[in-house]
Amino acid sequence: MRAPFPLALLIGALSALSATARADENLLHGPHPFLKDNELSVHILVAEGGNDSLSGAKLALDYGYKLGAGSAPTWLNLEINVEHGGCGPMPGNGACGSNTGDVVETLAGAKWKFATPLPLVPYVKAAAGLVFAFPNGASDAPGLAVRAAGGVNYFFFDWLGLGVEVGVSVGRIDYDATFPGSHTYSVLDLGGGLEFQF
């Protein structure tokens, strides 16, 4: 036997309210609990190179593993950052500028996250490793770099956060004579992204 229309409407409305209440219960309203041990984050950054370093858009991918507990846990942090600087022709000769091309940073280090009364989680991180430069108009070259960064994420759920990050990478790239600029690697980047914990 089918329920009368108003009763069916009431049952549907109560079901929808119940589902909304369950979803609202999962939303974070206070400090992040740091229950999960793994994290993946992806950030889209704008990178500005100094000292003839390459500039462009940067995709930053991080994997983190929680090493400690408490309100400020330490995480092992592995980073792969890929930067692309499009070819901007130099006036007069049409060739690409010397500070264009691609860079890949492969870094390992630590990340520290801090609980606050809100679901905001500020963090700082430091890492070191290899950097590979692929400049336009010059030979590819490896180098060494360190990167320090900080940011803040707002967590809607204990597994999903949205935030901003600013970072600085410094080091040295072993260019050969085909690269006319400085061998110093210096990049400032800023952008936003997502963090997933599992």
Side-chain angles (χ1 to χ4, degrees), residues 7 14 50 67 73 80 90 110 116 121 129 141 153 183 188 197:
L7 181 58
L14 289 174
L67 300 174
I80 296 178
M90 295 187 68
T116 67
V121 178
N153 287 313
H183 292 207
L188 172 68
Q197 294 189 3

Side-chain angles (χ1 to χ4, degrees), residues 83-169:
E83 180 185 322
H84 174 70
C87 179
M90 295 187 68
N93 63 10
C96 293
S98 63
N99 65 340
T100 64
D102 300 321
V103 177
V104 177
E105 297 174 336
T106 56
L107 310 170
K111 184 182 214 178
W112 296 270
K113 298 183 181 185
F114 308 96
T116 67
L118 300 172
L120 285 172
V121 178
Y123 64 88
V124 293
K125 62 183 180 177
L130 299 174
V131 59
F132 302 93
F134 306 92
N136 290 319
S139 298
D140 304 342
L144 296 173
V146 295
R147 183 169 189 266
V152 62
N153 287 313
Y154 182 90
F155 280 86
F156 299 97
F157 305 96
D158 70 338
W159 58 272
L160 176 63
L162 174 68
V164 295
E165 179 174 296
V166 61
V168 175
S169 299

Side-chain angles (χ1 to χ4, degrees), residues 40-43 59-63 78-82 125:
L40 287 175
S41 66
V42 57
H43 288 87
L59 176 66
L61 304 170
D62 288 25
Y63 166 75
L78 306 176
E79 303 179 37
I80 296 178
N81 306 317
V82 180
K125 62 183 180 177

